[in-house]
Amino acid sequence: MNNKKISITTHGKVILIGEHSVVYGKDALALPIKGLNIITTIEKSPTAESIMITNHYQGPYLQSPSEYDGLKYVFNTLNSLAKNSEPLQVTYTGEIPMERGLGSSAVVALGTTKALNNYFNLMLPEEKIMEITNHAEMINHGKASGLDAATVNSDYVVFFNKKIGPHPISKKLGATLLIMDTGELGNTKRAVKLVRDKIESNPNEAKKIERLGVLATKTKDLWGKQDVSAIGQIFNEAEEILASFGIATKRIEEISKIAQVNGALGTKLSGGGLGGIVIALCNDKYTAEKIAQKAKDNFSNYWIEEI
Ligand SMILES: Nc1ncnc2c1ncn2[C@@H]1O[C@H](COP(=O)(O)OP(=O)(O)O)[C@@H](O)[C@H]1O
Ligand SMILES: C[C@@](O)(CCOP(=O)(O)O)CC(=O)O
């Protein structure tokens, strides 16, 4: 009887700056959220079929795991590399709500790849694990930059560019980030298409992508100097651009406004948009808590990170 059981913990992420423009080869900066996890567990299936169980909190709706073709791709690829025909049970347990810009799709793709790699003793190199994870993300999003997968696989802030890959930044900024979940489902695939249609039909929209890239490069430089208020201003400018693409909802704008008048240095949506999370850069935890209290009727959940 095979009692083997492998569990892998993978953490979520938020994009600090550079969502959408990163798809076009521009710079971006993203933060791993170490306390926000999904545990992927692999064991022998109790039935004659392979099964996937999602125990993780998904927010106000349920979706069948089998609907995510990216996960099927991971599962089939690793089973085929291991020449495995034993039916398996894959269980996801944790608290990363889906479709909020917190990276759930990359988290489950990476967690499943790593857990199956261990289960089958495949000893796949890191590059192969990331290649499989990124391909799953492509299946999910259409055109994925690789930023999400790189950040959920990193212990440090990631400075990223598609051409050069991820670079970890271990230095702390010396600030507090408030992450507020609007409770509205984002839609990365639709948002990416919406932005692409706009920039392809209007050169002025394309200039905004350039500008977002410049803002991300500046943020990296300011991070090194720990210039928190300048980064706050960059968040606000980026938010204006993202909203002009039509991917900020009324609730995102409402939450941003409340955060602004209660001491945030800068606020923006984070991730694909059309719902999902709002991030607010604050000087300290006290300000972040105050904003969370003032805005609490507008969001479903929040997290505070010392960055
Ligand atoms: N536990 C899970 N089981 C199956 N699919 C999942 C799970 N978590 C996330 N997904 C897939 O990832 C998608 C969310 O990805 P995405 O839209 O990129 O949002 P996020 O910002 O959370 O990554 C879900 O719609 C679903 O297809
Ligand atoms: C819009 C985009 O830049 C980020 C999407 O982030 P998320 O899937 O919403 O967490 C797309 C990408 O980088 O592939």
Side-chain angles (χ1 to χ4, degrees), residues 54 56 61 63 65 68 71 92 97-106 108 140-141 148 188:
T54 291
H56 89 250
Y61 80 122
Q63 181 186 25
Y68 178 17
L71 276 187
Y92 303 103
M98 289 186 199
E99 296 181 19
R100 308 298 217 292
L102 289 165
S104 72
S105 63
V108 291
N140 200 29
H141 287 163
D148 281 17
T188 303

Side-chain angles (χ1 to χ4, degrees), residues 17 173 175 211 215-216 218-223 225-238 265-267 281 283:
I17 184 97
L173 176 62
R211 181 65 188 159
L215 292 178
K218 276 192 178 176
T219 304
K220 188 202 69 173
D221 296 340
L222 292 163
W223 193 281
K225 296 177 191 150
Q226 296 186 305
D227 193 340
V228 184
S229 30
I231 295 178
Q233 282 170 27
I234 287 182
F235 272 27
N236 290 337
E237 185 180 341
L265 300 166
T267 64
L281 186 64
N283 268 324

Side-chain angles (χ1 to χ4, degrees), residues 13 15 19-20 22-23 101 103 141 143-145 148 188 192 271-272:
K13 60 90 218 182
I15 297 176
E19 50 275 273
H20 290 285
V22 70
V23 173
H141 287 163
K143 194 178 178 190
S145 64
D148 281 17
T188 303
V192 168

Side-chain angles (χ1 to χ4, degrees), residues 70 97 104 116 183 237 255 280 295 301:
S104 72
L116 287 170
E237 185 180 341
I255 292 175
N301 205 353

Side-chain angles (χ1 to χ4, degrees), residues 4-6 40-44 88-90 115-116 119:
K4 194 169 180 181
K5 191 170 175 174
I6 297 286
T40 305
T41 302
I42 312 281
E43 60 203 302
K44 189 177 185 310
L88 298 175
Q89 174 173 294
V90 189
L116 287 170
Y119 188 88

Side-chain angles (χ1 to χ4, degrees), residues 64 94 103 112-113 164 252 285 294 307:
S64 159
T112 310
T113 308
I164 58 169
I252 289 174
K285 198 172 172 191
K294 295 276 182 192
I307 59 174

Side-chain angles (χ1 to χ4, degrees), residues 40-90:
T40 305
T41 302
I42 312 281
E43 60 203 302
K44 189 177 185 310
S45 173
T47 74
E49 302 280 321
S50 285
I51 46 176
M52 282 185 187
I53 302 170
T54 291
N55 285 334
H56 89 250
Y57 167 75
Q58 298 169 68
Y61 80 122
L62 283 172
Q63 181 186 25
S64 159
S66 61
E67 286 169 31
Y68 178 17
D69 287 339
L71 276 187
K72 276 195 244 167
Y73 159 78
V74 170
F75 193 73
N76 292 340
T77 303
L78 274 284
N79 272 286
S80 145
L81 285 171
K83 300 187 175 49
N84 174 59
S85 52
E86 174 195 40
L88 298 175
Q89 174 173 294
V90 189

